[in-house]
Amino acid sequence: MIWPILALFLPCLMVIIFTQIAQNKWIGLLVSSITIGVSVYKGFFNDEVIILLDVVSLVIGFYIVDSLEIDKIESR
């Protein structure tokens, strides 16, 4: 029961955090996608529903970054 909930929220947060670090929304999405892709390749997520939820969460995270323009926030 915990895996679908994590699959909905963690990739979204990863996109937001990596975008904040890199100051580029495409790099944040790419690093998050690579991280999830490697974990799927290594066999940590073998359920198709979890993989689908990860993809949906990545898209939602990218939409949040794009709509709030997090990549355009000036650093300190």
Side-chain angles (χ1 to χ4, degrees):
M1 182 62 190
I2 191 76
W3 290 111
I5 295 170
L6 290 175
L8 279 174
F9 291 111
L10 286 182
C12 179
L13 289 175
M14 285 173 45
V15 170
I16 293 170
I17 290 170
F18 288 144
T19 299
Q20 277 285 22
I21 292 170
Q23 293 295 317
N24 189 338
K25 63 184 173 186
W26 297 106
I27 299 295
L29 181 66
L30 180 70
V31 171
S32 300
S33 299
I34 289 173
T35 304
I36 292 172
V38 167
S39 66
V40 169
Y41 178 74
K42 289 291 187 179
F44 293 117
F45 303 112
N46 53 4
D47 190 14
E48 290 82 15
V49 174
I50 300 296
I51 296 169
L52 178 70
L53 291 176
D54 283 337
V55 171
V56 168
S57 182
L58 283 171
V59 170
I60 291 171
F62 185 78
Y63 177 73
I64 290 171
V65 167
D66 194 40
S67 64
L68 295 178
E69 296 181 353
I70 293 175
D71 58 330
K72 304 230 183 345
I73 295 175
E74 297 276 333
S75 59
R76 297 167 218 134

